[in-house]
Amino acid sequence: MKLLKIVLLSGLIFSGLAGYGIYWFFFDMGRLPAGEFLKEETSPHGTYTLKAFIVDGGATTSYAIRGELVFNKSNKRSKNIYWNYREENAEINWIDDDTVVINGRTLYVPQDKFDFRN
């Protein structure tokens, strides 16, 4: 019985660590490449700025657009909220101070994200 608990607990810990490692390596938006600055747009009341960057994946992959949300009125770190493959341009339109449309995708900031991998 004790051995069974140890085996189950070890398996659970290993599965958790492996799952987190896969997420961190393949899906964590904080690990996206920087890219080259493309453009930026500030929200109507100046609360946020969305900066767009174009990322060249190299010879075997297409371009991608990374959108970084900057918090202008607080000391929060900027965060990636947009990542889409096979795009070379960024069209950014603020609907209101908390709603932005990036290349036709509506995001409610700061909580929403768009990541083509999910």
Side-chain angles (χ1 to χ4, degrees):
M1 188 68 163
K2 187 175 182 180
L3 180 61
L4 180 61
K5 287 181 182 180
I6 292 172
V7 169
L8 289 175
L9 184 60
S10 297
L12 185 62
I13 290 171
F14 176 76
S15 297
L17 289 174
Y20 178 74
I22 290 169
Y23 168 79
W24 180 80
F25 191 73
F26 292 107
F27 299 105
D28 185 10
M29 288 187 75
R31 293 179 29 92
L32 296 175
E36 286 184 45
F37 179 76
L38 201 54
K39 67 187 296 187
E40 70 179 42
E41 295 289 334
T42 302
S43 64
H45 296 112
T47 306
Y48 307 104
T49 298
L50 186 72
K51 294 182 177 184
F53 299 85
I54 187 165
V55 179
D56 182 0
T60 60
T61 59
S62 185
Y63 288 99
I65 296 293
R66 179 177 68 85
E68 178 180 288
L69 184 68
V70 178
F71 298 86
N72 296 331
K73 295 185 176 182
S74 66
N75 288 332
K76 294 182 181 178
R77 291 178 51 197
S78 60
K79 69 178 195 173
N80 294 319
I81 63 166
Y82 186 83
W83 177 244
N84 202 15
Y85 187 58
R86 295 189 178 158
E87 287 184 344
E88 296 183 30
N89 298 307
E91 185 176 321
I92 304 167
N93 295 308
W94 287 93
I95 304 302
D96 57 39
D97 212 44
D98 298 315
T99 310
V100 64
V101 178
I102 310 166
N103 291 346
R105 291 184 172 77
T106 303
L107 299 175
Y108 302 98
V109 296
Q111 64 273 9
D112 280 357
K113 295 181 196 177
F114 175 79
D115 186 343
F116 79 93
R117 302 170 294 180
N118 295 332

PDB file of all heavy atoms in Angstrom, residues 75-108:
ATOM      1  N   ASN A  75       2.598  50.673 -13.147  1.00  0.00           N
ATOM      2  CA  ASN A  75       3.952  50.138 -13.216  1.00  0.00           C
ATOM      3  C   ASN A  75       3.992  48.657 -13.576  1.00  0.00           C
ATOM      4  O   ASN A  75       4.965  47.980 -13.291  1.00  0.00           O
ATOM      5  CB  ASN A  75       4.675  50.357 -11.884  1.00  0.00           C
ATOM      6  CG  ASN A  75       5.026  51.814 -11.684  1.00  0.00           C
ATOM      7  OD1 ASN A  75       5.216  52.551 -12.649  1.00  0.00           O
ATOM      8  ND2 ASN A  75       5.092  52.239 -10.449  1.00  0.00           N
ATOM      9  N   LYS A  76       2.942  48.139 -14.206  1.00  0.00           N
ATOM     10  CA  LYS A  76       2.925  46.736 -14.614  1.00  0.00           C
ATOM     11  C   LYS A  76       3.858  46.531 -15.798  1.00  0.00           C
ATOM     12  O   LYS A  76       4.047  47.425 -16.623  1.00  0.00           O
ATOM     13  CB  LYS A  76       1.517  46.303 -15.009  1.00  0.00           C
ATOM     14  CG  LYS A  76       0.534  46.292 -13.868  1.00  0.00           C
ATOM     15  CD  LYS A  76      -0.812  45.810 -14.372  1.00  0.00           C
ATOM     16  CE  LYS A  76      -1.827  45.801 -13.264  1.00  0.00           C
ATOM     17  NZ  LYS A  76      -3.155  45.378 -13.750  1.00  0.00           N
ATOM     18  N   ARG A  77       4.415  45.325 -15.864  1.00  0.00           N
ATOM     19  CA  ARG A  77       5.270  44.972 -16.999  1.00  0.00           C
ATOM     20  C   ARG A  77       4.409  44.784 -18.236  1.00  0.00           C
ATOM     21  O   ARG A  77       3.280  44.323 -18.159  1.00  0.00           O
ATOM     22  CB  ARG A  77       6.008  43.661 -16.706  1.00  0.00           C
ATOM     23  CG  ARG A  77       7.057  43.803 -15.624  1.00  0.00           C
ATOM     24  CD  ARG A  77       7.733  42.500 -15.319  1.00  0.00           C
ATOM     25  NE  ARG A  77       8.217  41.861 -16.533  1.00  0.00           N
ATOM     26  CZ  ARG A  77       8.560  40.592 -16.606  1.00  0.00           C
ATOM     27  NH1 ARG A  77       8.463  39.805 -15.563  1.00  0.00           N
ATOM     28  NH2 ARG A  77       8.995  40.076 -17.739  1.00  0.00           N
ATOM     29  N   SER A  78       4.944  45.135 -19.388  1.00  0.00           N
ATOM     30  CA  SER A  78       4.210  44.905 -20.630  1.00  0.00           C
ATOM     31  C   SER A  78       4.064  43.407 -20.852  1.00  0.00           C
ATOM     32  O   SER A  78       4.838  42.609 -20.325  1.00  0.00           O
ATOM     33  CB  SER A  78       4.938  45.562 -21.802  1.00  0.00           C
ATOM     34  OG  SER A  78       6.223  45.030 -21.949  1.00  0.00           O
ATOM     35  N   LYS A  79       3.033  43.030 -21.621  1.00  0.00           N
ATOM     36  CA  LYS A  79       2.815  41.607 -21.861  1.00  0.00           C
ATOM     37  C   LYS A  79       2.362  41.378 -23.289  1.00  0.00           C
ATOM     38  O   LYS A  79       1.740  42.237 -23.911  1.00  0.00           O
ATOM     39  CB  LYS A  79       1.813  41.032 -20.869  1.00  0.00           C
ATOM     40  CG  LYS A  79       0.389  41.497 -21.028  1.00  0.00           C
ATOM     41  CD  LYS A  79      -0.498  40.800 -20.006  1.00  0.00           C
ATOM     42  CE  LYS A  79      -1.952  40.938 -20.354  1.00  0.00           C
ATOM     43  NZ  LYS A  79      -2.808  40.156 -19.480  1.00  0.00           N
ATOM     44  N   ASN A  80       2.694  40.210 -23.803  1.00  0.00           N
ATOM     45  CA  ASN A  80       2.287  39.821 -25.142  1.00  0.00           C
ATOM     46  C   ASN A  80       0.828  39.393 -25.116  1.00  0.00           C
ATOM     47  O   ASN A  80       0.433  38.546 -24.321  1.00  0.00           O
ATOM     48  CB  ASN A  80       3.146  38.658 -25.641  1.00  0.00           C
ATOM     49  CG  ASN A  80       4.586  39.067 -25.836  1.00  0.00           C
ATOM     50  OD1 ASN A  80       4.864  40.140 -26.336  1.00  0.00           O
ATOM     51  ND2 ASN A  80       5.503  38.214 -25.433  1.00  0.00           N
ATOM     52  N   ILE A  81       0.032  40.000 -26.009  1.00  0.00           N
ATOM     53  CA  ILE A  81      -1.378  39.623 -26.067  1.00  0.00           C
ATOM     54  C   ILE A  81      -1.782  39.133 -27.456  1.00  0.00           C
ATOM     55  O   ILE A  81      -2.902  38.670 -27.636  1.00  0.00           O
ATOM     56  CB  ILE A  81      -2.309  40.783 -25.640  1.00  0.00           C
ATOM     57  CG1 ILE A  81      -2.182  41.974 -26.588  1.00  0.00           C
ATOM     58  CG2 ILE A  81      -2.044  41.190 -24.200  1.00  0.00           C
ATOM     59  CD1 ILE A  81      -3.302  42.995 -26.430  1.00  0.00           C
ATOM     60  N   TYR A  82      -0.891  39.236 -28.437  1.00  0.00           N
ATOM     61  CA  TYR A  82      -1.236  38.829 -29.797  1.00  0.00           C
ATOM     62  C   TYR A  82      -0.048  38.130 -30.429  1.00  0.00           C
ATOM     63  O   TYR A  82       1.071  38.628 -30.394  1.00  0.00           O
ATOM     64  CB  TYR A  82      -1.618  40.061 -30.625  1.00  0.00           C
ATOM     65  CG  TYR A  82      -2.125  39.738 -32.009  1.00  0.00           C
ATOM     66  CD1 TYR A  82      -3.451  39.374 -32.214  1.00  0.00           C
ATOM     67  CD2 TYR A  82      -1.280  39.799 -33.104  1.00  0.00           C
ATOM     68  CE1 TYR A  82      -3.921  39.075 -33.488  1.00  0.00           C
ATOM     69  CE2 TYR A  82      -1.735  39.511 -34.383  1.00  0.00           C
ATOM     70  CZ  TYR A  82      -3.056  39.147 -34.565  1.00  0.00           C
ATOM     71  OH  TYR A  82      -3.512  38.851 -35.829  1.00  0.00           O
ATOM     72  N   TRP A  83      -0.311  36.964 -31.040  1.00  0.00           N
ATOM     73  CA  TRP A  83       0.725  36.212 -31.741  1.00  0.00           C
ATOM     74  C   TRP A  83       0.054  35.464 -32.873  1.00  0.00           C
ATOM     75  O   TRP A  83      -0.772  34.586 -32.648  1.00  0.00           O
ATOM     76  CB  TRP A  83       1.420  35.259 -30.789  1.00  0.00           C
ATOM     77  CG  TRP A  83       2.471  34.374 -31.389  1.00  0.00           C
ATOM     78  CD1 TRP A  83       2.438  33.016 -31.470  1.00  0.00           C
ATOM     79  CD2 TRP A  83       3.727  34.768 -31.944  1.00  0.00           C
ATOM     80  NE1 TRP A  83       3.580  32.559 -32.055  1.00  0.00           N
ATOM     81  CE2 TRP A  83       4.396  33.607 -32.361  1.00  0.00           C
ATOM     82  CE3 TRP A  83       4.344  35.994 -32.153  1.00  0.00           C
ATOM     83  CZ2 TRP A  83       5.649  33.625 -32.958  1.00  0.00           C
ATOM     84  CZ3 TRP A  83       5.592  36.021 -32.741  1.00  0.00           C
ATOM     85  CH2 TRP A  83       6.230  34.849 -33.130  1.00  0.00           C
ATOM     86  N   ASN A  84       0.341  35.865 -34.111  1.00  0.00           N
ATOM     87  CA  ASN A  84      -0.274  35.185 -35.249  1.00  0.00           C
ATOM     88  C   ASN A  84       0.751  34.961 -36.346  1.00  0.00           C
ATOM     89  O   ASN A  84       1.515  35.849 -36.704  1.00  0.00           O
ATOM     90  CB  ASN A  84      -1.469  35.971 -35.794  1.00  0.00           C
ATOM     91  CG  ASN A  84      -2.409  35.077 -36.578  1.00  0.00           C
ATOM     92  OD1 ASN A  84      -2.343  33.852 -36.498  1.00  0.00           O
ATOM     93  ND2 ASN A  84      -3.289  35.686 -37.336  1.00  0.00           N
ATOM     94  N   TYR A  85       0.711  33.770 -36.877  1.00  0.00           N
ATOM     95  CA  TYR A  85       1.622  33.289 -37.907  1.00  0.00           C
ATOM     96  C   TYR A  85       1.092  33.666 -39.284  1.00  0.00           C
ATOM     97  O   TYR A  85      -0.117  33.824 -39.476  1.00  0.00           O
ATOM     98  CB  TYR A  85       1.721  31.772 -37.748  1.00  0.00           C
ATOM     99  CG  TYR A  85       2.729  31.082 -38.609  1.00  0.00           C
ATOM    100  CD1 TYR A  85       4.069  31.423 -38.546  1.00  0.00           C
ATOM    101  CD2 TYR A  85       2.345  30.062 -39.457  1.00  0.00           C
ATOM    102  CE1 TYR A  85       5.000  30.772 -39.322  1.00  0.00           C
ATOM    103  CE2 TYR A  85       3.265  29.382 -40.235  1.00  0.00           C
ATOM    104  CZ  TYR A  85       4.593  29.748 -40.166  1.00  0.00           C
ATOM    105  OH  TYR A  85       5.515  29.085 -40.934  1.00  0.00           O
ATOM    106  N   ARG A  86       1.997  33.816 -40.228  1.00  0.00           N
ATOM    107  CA  ARG A  86       1.683  34.144 -41.620  1.00  0.00           C
ATOM    108  C   ARG A  86       0.993  35.493 -41.763  1.00  0.00           C
ATOM    109  O   ARG A  86       0.022  35.637 -42.499  1.00  0.00           O
ATOM    110  CB  ARG A  86       0.868  33.035 -42.279  1.00  0.00           C
ATOM    111  CG  ARG A  86       1.653  31.767 -42.401  1.00  0.00           C
ATOM    112  CD  ARG A  86       0.977  30.738 -43.227  1.00  0.00           C
ATOM    113  NE  ARG A  86       1.869  29.585 -43.305  1.00  0.00           N
ATOM    114  CZ  ARG A  86       1.476  28.378 -43.578  1.00  0.00           C
ATOM    115  NH1 ARG A  86       0.217  28.142 -43.817  1.00  0.00           N
ATOM    116  NH2 ARG A  86       2.342  27.405 -43.622  1.00  0.00           N
ATOM    117  N   GLU A  87       1.506  36.456 -41.047  1.00  0.00           N
ATOM    118  CA  GLU A  87       1.069  37.849 -41.195  1.00  0.00           C
ATOM    119  C   GLU A  87       2.312  38.718 -41.293  1.00  0.00           C
ATOM    120  O   GLU A  87       3.319  38.442 -40.652  1.00  0.00           O
ATOM    121  CB  GLU A  87       0.251  38.314 -39.983  1.00  0.00           C
ATOM    122  CG  GLU A  87      -1.123  37.729 -39.912  1.00  0.00           C
ATOM    123  CD  GLU A  87      -1.933  38.286 -38.756  1.00  0.00           C
ATOM    124  OE1 GLU A  87      -1.363  38.895 -37.836  1.00  0.00           O
ATOM    125  OE2 GLU A  87      -3.145  38.101 -38.781  1.00  0.00           O
ATOM    126  N   GLU A  88       2.211  39.768 -42.112  1.00  0.00           N
ATOM    127  CA  GLU A  88       3.339  40.683 -42.279  1.00  0.00           C
ATOM    128  C   GLU A  88       2.984  42.124 -41.938  1.00  0.00           C
ATOM    129  O   GLU A  88       3.860  42.976 -41.886  1.00  0.00           O
ATOM    130  CB  GLU A  88       3.882  40.604 -43.702  1.00  0.00           C
ATOM    131  CG  GLU A  88       4.470  39.246 -44.034  1.00  0.00           C
ATOM    132  CD  GLU A  88       5.081  39.192 -45.417  1.00  0.00           C
ATOM    133  OE1 GLU A  88       5.560  40.242 -45.901  1.00  0.00           O
ATOM    134  OE2 GLU A  88       5.076  38.102 -46.000  1.00  0.00           O
ATOM    135  N   ASN A  89       1.704  42.391 -41.725  1.00  0.00           N
ATOM    136  CA  ASN A  89       1.245  43.743 -41.397  1.00  0.00           C
ATOM    137  C   ASN A  89       0.381  43.691 -40.155  1.00  0.00           C
ATOM    138  O   ASN A  89      -0.208  42.657 -39.846  1.00  0.00           O
ATOM    139  CB  ASN A  89       0.432  44.328 -42.556  1.00  0.00           C
ATOM    140  CG  ASN A  89       1.267  44.457 -43.813  1.00  0.00           C
ATOM    141  OD1 ASN A  89       2.336  45.038 -43.777  1.00  0.00           O
ATOM    142  ND2 ASN A  89       0.787  43.898 -44.909  1.00  0.00           N
ATOM    143  N   ALA A  90       0.295  44.823 -39.479  1.00  0.00           N
ATOM    144  CA  ALA A  90      -0.550  44.913 -38.287  1.00  0.00           C
ATOM    145  C   ALA A  90      -1.477  46.112 -38.431  1.00  0.00           C
ATOM    146  O   ALA A  90      -1.026  47.241 -38.557  1.00  0.00           O
ATOM    147  CB  ALA A  90       0.308  45.053 -37.033  1.00  0.00           C
ATOM    148  N   GLU A  91      -2.764  45.827 -38.425  1.00  0.00           N
ATOM    149  CA  GLU A  91      -3.760  46.891 -38.420  1.00  0.00           C
ATOM    150  C   GLU A  91      -4.347  46.940 -37.013  1.00  0.00           C
ATOM    151  O   GLU A  91      -4.953  45.967 -36.562  1.00  0.00           O
ATOM    152  CB  GLU A  91      -4.856  46.609 -39.445  1.00  0.00           C
ATOM    153  CG  GLU A  91      -5.842  47.737 -39.549  1.00  0.00           C
ATOM    154  CD  GLU A  91      -6.871  47.500 -40.633  1.00  0.00           C
ATOM    155  OE1 GLU A  91      -6.509  46.981 -41.700  1.00  0.00           O
ATOM    156  OE2 GLU A  91      -8.033  47.833 -40.387  1.00  0.00           O
ATOM    157  N   ILE A  92      -4.141  48.048 -36.324  1.00  0.00           N
ATOM    158  CA  ILE A  92      -4.558  48.196 -34.939  1.00  0.00           C
ATOM    159  C   ILE A  92      -5.583  49.315 -34.845  1.00  0.00           C
ATOM    160  O   ILE A  92      -5.307  50.444 -35.255  1.00  0.00           O
ATOM    161  CB  ILE A  92      -3.349  48.535 -34.028  1.00  0.00           C
ATOM    162  CG1 ILE A  92      -2.256  47.476 -34.151  1.00  0.00           C
ATOM    163  CG2 ILE A  92      -3.795  48.692 -32.582  1.00  0.00           C
ATOM    164  CD1 ILE A  92      -0.936  47.891 -33.535  1.00  0.00           C
ATOM    165  N   ASN A  93      -6.758  48.981 -34.296  1.00  0.00           N
ATOM    166  CA  ASN A  93      -7.810  49.984 -34.095  1.00  0.00           C
ATOM    167  C   ASN A  93      -8.366  49.829 -32.694  1.00  0.00           C
ATOM    168  O   ASN A  93      -8.828  48.750 -32.324  1.00  0.00           O
ATOM    169  CB  ASN A  93      -8.945  49.802 -35.113  1.00  0.00           C
ATOM    170  CG  ASN A  93      -8.484  50.049 -36.525  1.00  0.00           C
ATOM    171  OD1 ASN A  93      -7.903  51.082 -36.807  1.00  0.00           O
ATOM    172  ND2 ASN A  93      -8.709  49.092 -37.398  1.00  0.00           N
ATOM    173  N   TRP A  94      -8.342  50.899 -31.926  1.00  0.00           N
ATOM    174  CA  TRP A  94      -8.947  50.899 -30.597  1.00  0.00           C
ATOM    175  C   TRP A  94     -10.408  51.264 -30.726  1.00  0.00           C
ATOM    176  O   TRP A  94     -10.741  52.314 -31.280  1.00  0.00           O
ATOM    177  CB  TRP A  94      -8.234  51.890 -29.675  1.00  0.00           C
ATOM    178  CG  TRP A  94      -6.884  51.429 -29.246  1.00  0.00           C
ATOM    179  CD1 TRP A  94      -5.692  51.700 -29.834  1.00  0.00           C
ATOM    180  CD2 TRP A  94      -6.593  50.595 -28.125  1.00  0.00           C
ATOM    181  NE1 TRP A  94      -4.671  51.092 -29.157  1.00  0.00           N
ATOM    182  CE2 TRP A  94      -5.199  50.402 -28.086  1.00  0.00           C
ATOM    183  CE3 TRP A  94      -7.371  49.993 -27.136  1.00  0.00           C
ATOM    184  CZ2 TRP A  94      -4.567  49.626 -27.120  1.00  0.00           C
ATOM    185  CZ3 TRP A  94      -6.750  49.216 -26.163  1.00  0.00           C
ATOM    186  CH2 TRP A  94      -5.364  49.044 -26.158  1.00  0.00           C
ATOM    187  N   ILE A  95     -11.289  50.424 -30.205  1.00  0.00           N
ATOM    188  CA  ILE A  95     -12.727  50.696 -30.202  1.00  0.00           C
ATOM    189  C   ILE A  95     -13.065  51.610 -29.022  1.00  0.00           C
ATOM    190  O   ILE A  95     -13.801  52.571 -29.158  1.00  0.00           O
ATOM    191  CB  ILE A  95     -13.539  49.386 -30.099  1.00  0.00           C
ATOM    192  CG1 ILE A  95     -13.153  48.431 -31.229  1.00  0.00           C
ATOM    193  CG2 ILE A  95     -15.035  49.661 -30.081  1.00  0.00           C
ATOM    194  CD1 ILE A  95     -13.338  48.959 -32.621  1.00  0.00           C
ATOM    195  N   ASP A  96     -12.544  51.281 -27.867  1.00  0.00           N
ATOM    196  CA  ASP A  96     -12.642  52.112 -26.676  1.00  0.00           C
ATOM    197  C   ASP A  96     -11.365  51.871 -25.872  1.00  0.00           C
ATOM    198  O   ASP A  96     -10.433  51.256 -26.379  1.00  0.00           O
ATOM    199  CB  ASP A  96     -13.923  51.828 -25.871  1.00  0.00           C
ATOM    200  CG  ASP A  96     -14.061  50.382 -25.437  1.00  0.00           C
ATOM    201  OD1 ASP A  96     -13.045  49.750 -25.058  1.00  0.00           O
ATOM    202  OD2 ASP A  96     -15.197  49.870 -25.458  1.00  0.00           O
ATOM    203  N   ASP A  97     -11.316  52.339 -24.647  1.00  0.00           N
ATOM    204  CA  ASP A  97     -10.077  52.254 -23.877  1.00  0.00           C
ATOM    205  C   ASP A  97      -9.696  50.822 -23.484  1.00  0.00           C
ATOM    206  O   ASP A  97      -8.558  50.575 -23.128  1.00  0.00           O
ATOM    207  CB  ASP A  97     -10.164  53.136 -22.625  1.00  0.00           C
ATOM    208  CG  ASP A  97      -8.813  53.705 -22.239  1.00  0.00           C
ATOM    209  OD1 ASP A  97      -8.085  54.168 -23.150  1.00  0.00           O
ATOM    210  OD2 ASP A  97      -8.479  53.662 -21.051  1.00  0.00           O
ATOM    211  N   ASP A  98     -10.651  49.883 -23.545  1.00  0.00           N
ATOM    212  CA  ASP A  98     -10.381  48.502 -23.154  1.00  0.00           C
ATOM    213  C   ASP A  98     -10.601  47.494 -24.269  1.00  0.00           C
ATOM    214  O   ASP A  98     -10.528  46.292 -24.039  1.00  0.00           O
ATOM    215  CB  ASP A  98     -11.275  48.108 -21.964  1.00  0.00           C
ATOM    216  CG  ASP A  98     -10.984  48.959 -20.737  1.00  0.00           C
ATOM    217  OD1 ASP A  98      -9.797  49.164 -20.438  1.00  0.00           O
ATOM    218  OD2 ASP A  98     -11.945  49.427 -20.104  1.00  0.00           O
ATOM    219  N   THR A  99     -10.873  47.948 -25.494  1.00  0.00           N
ATOM    220  CA  THR A  99     -11.150  47.045 -26.604  1.00  0.00           C
ATOM    221  C   THR A  99     -10.297  47.440 -27.799  1.00  0.00           C
ATOM    222  O   THR A  99     -10.360  48.568 -28.274  1.00  0.00           O
ATOM    223  CB  THR A  99     -12.638  47.100 -27.002  1.00  0.00           C
ATOM    224  OG1 THR A  99     -13.445  46.945 -25.841  1.00  0.00           O
ATOM    225  CG2 THR A  99     -12.968  46.013 -27.998  1.00  0.00           C
ATOM    226  N   VAL A 100      -9.527  46.478 -28.285  1.00  0.00           N
ATOM    227  CA  VAL A 100      -8.670  46.729 -29.435  1.00  0.00           C
ATOM    228  C   VAL A 100      -8.925  45.640 -30.479  1.00  0.00           C
ATOM    229  O   VAL A 100      -9.194  44.498 -30.146  1.00  0.00           O
ATOM    230  CB  VAL A 100      -7.174  46.768 -29.026  1.00  0.00           C
ATOM    231  CG1 VAL A 100      -6.684  45.432 -28.498  1.00  0.00           C
ATOM    232  CG2 VAL A 100      -6.295  47.244 -30.176  1.00  0.00           C
ATOM    233  N   VAL A 101      -8.859  46.051 -31.744  1.00  0.00           N
ATOM    234  CA  VAL A 101      -8.993  45.111 -32.853  1.00  0.00           C
ATOM    235  C   VAL A 101      -7.647  45.059 -33.557  1.00  0.00           C
ATOM    236  O   VAL A 101      -7.141  46.084 -34.028  1.00  0.00           O
ATOM    237  CB  VAL A 101     -10.105  45.535 -33.834  1.00  0.00           C
ATOM    238  CG1 VAL A 101     -10.191  44.557 -34.997  1.00  0.00           C
ATOM    239  CG2 VAL A 101     -11.432  45.650 -33.121  1.00  0.00           C
ATOM    240  N   ILE A 102      -7.065  43.860 -33.601  1.00  0.00           N
ATOM    241  CA  ILE A 102      -5.773  43.656 -34.251  1.00  0.00           C
ATOM    242  C   ILE A 102      -5.994  42.696 -35.414  1.00  0.00           C
ATOM    243  O   ILE A 102      -6.388  41.542 -35.200  1.00  0.00           O
ATOM    244  CB  ILE A 102      -4.731  43.052 -33.292  1.00  0.00           C
ATOM    245  CG1 ILE A 102      -4.672  43.828 -32.001  1.00  0.00           C
ATOM    246  CG2 ILE A 102      -3.364  42.981 -33.962  1.00  0.00           C
ATOM    247  CD1 ILE A 102      -3.924  43.117 -30.894  1.00  0.00           C
ATOM    248  N   ASN A 103      -5.779  43.181 -36.620  1.00  0.00           N
ATOM    249  CA  ASN A 103      -5.958  42.364 -37.821  1.00  0.00           C
ATOM    250  C   ASN A 103      -7.285  41.604 -37.802  1.00  0.00           C
ATOM    251  O   ASN A 103      -7.345  40.412 -38.103  1.00  0.00           O
ATOM    252  CB  ASN A 103      -4.783  41.409 -38.010  1.00  0.00           C
ATOM    253  CG  ASN A 103      -3.515  42.147 -38.367  1.00  0.00           C
ATOM    254  OD1 ASN A 103      -3.546  43.314 -38.731  1.00  0.00           O
ATOM    255  ND2 ASN A 103      -2.385  41.489 -38.248  1.00  0.00           N
ATOM    256  N   GLY A 104      -8.341  42.293 -37.400  1.00  0.00           N
ATOM    257  CA  GLY A 104      -9.671  41.712 -37.415  1.00  0.00           C
ATOM    258  C   GLY A 104     -10.057  40.898 -36.197  1.00  0.00           C
ATOM    259  O   GLY A 104     -11.168  40.400 -36.111  1.00  0.00           O
ATOM    260  N   ARG A 105      -9.167  40.769 -35.223  1.00  0.00           N
ATOM    261  CA  ARG A 105      -9.463  40.009 -34.003  1.00  0.00           C
ATOM    262  C   ARG A 105      -9.666  40.982 -32.839  1.00  0.00           C
ATOM    263  O   ARG A 105      -8.782  41.776 -32.536  1.00  0.00           O
ATOM    264  CB  ARG A 105      -8.338  39.044 -33.699  1.00  0.00           C
ATOM    265  CG  ARG A 105      -8.295  37.936 -34.738  1.00  0.00           C
ATOM    266  CD  ARG A 105      -7.253  36.906 -34.416  1.00  0.00           C
ATOM    267  NE  ARG A 105      -7.360  35.787 -35.312  1.00  0.00           N
ATOM    268  CZ  ARG A 105      -6.929  35.765 -36.566  1.00  0.00           C
ATOM    269  NH1 ARG A 105      -6.373  36.845 -37.085  1.00  0.00           N
ATOM    270  NH2 ARG A 105      -7.058  34.695 -37.315  1.00  0.00           N
ATOM    271  N   THR A 106     -10.832  40.898 -32.203  1.00  0.00           N
ATOM    272  CA  THR A 106     -11.172  41.790 -31.105  1.00  0.00           C
ATOM    273  C   THR A 106     -10.672  41.215 -29.790  1.00  0.00           C
ATOM    274  O   THR A 106     -10.936  40.053 -29.475  1.00  0.00           O
ATOM    275  CB  THR A 106     -12.699  41.989 -31.034  1.00  0.00           C
ATOM    276  OG1 THR A 106     -13.145  42.497 -32.296  1.00  0.00           O
ATOM    277  CG2 THR A 106     -13.068  42.961 -29.932  1.00  0.00           C
ATOM    278  N   LEU A 107      -9.940  42.036 -29.040  1.00  0.00           N
ATOM    279  CA  LEU A 107      -9.427  41.636 -27.723  1.00  0.00           C
ATOM    280  C   LEU A 107      -9.859  42.663 -26.685  1.00  0.00           C
ATOM    281  O   LEU A 107      -9.814  43.863 -26.937  1.00  0.00           O
ATOM    282  CB  LEU A 107      -7.901  41.554 -27.737  1.00  0.00           C
ATOM    283  CG  LEU A 107      -7.273  40.544 -28.695  1.00  0.00           C
ATOM    284  CD1 LEU A 107      -5.758  40.669 -28.666  1.00  0.00           C
ATOM    285  CD2 LEU A 107      -7.691  39.140 -28.349  1.00  0.00           C
ATOM    286  N   TYR A 108     -10.283  42.166 -25.537  1.00  0.00           N
ATOM    287  CA  TYR A 108     -10.633  43.016 -24.397  1.00  0.00           C
ATOM    288  C   TYR A 108      -9.447  43.012 -23.448  1.00  0.00           C
ATOM    289  O   TYR A 108      -9.165  41.996 -22.811  1.00  0.00           O
ATOM    290  CB  TYR A 108     -11.910  42.504 -23.720  1.00  0.00           C
ATOM    291  CG  TYR A 108     -13.067  42.448 -24.681  1.00  0.00           C
ATOM    292  CD1 TYR A 108     -13.424  41.261 -25.305  1.00  0.00           C
ATOM    293  CD2 TYR A 108     -13.775  43.607 -25.006  1.00  0.00           C
ATOM    294  CE1 TYR A 108     -14.464  41.216 -26.217  1.00  0.00           C
ATOM    295  CE2 TYR A 108     -14.812  43.571 -25.921  1.00  0.00           C
ATOM    296  CZ  TYR A 108     -15.148  42.373 -26.522  1.00  0.00           C
ATOM    297  OH  TYR A 108     -16.174  42.337 -27.433  1.00  0.00           O
TER     298      TYR A 108
END
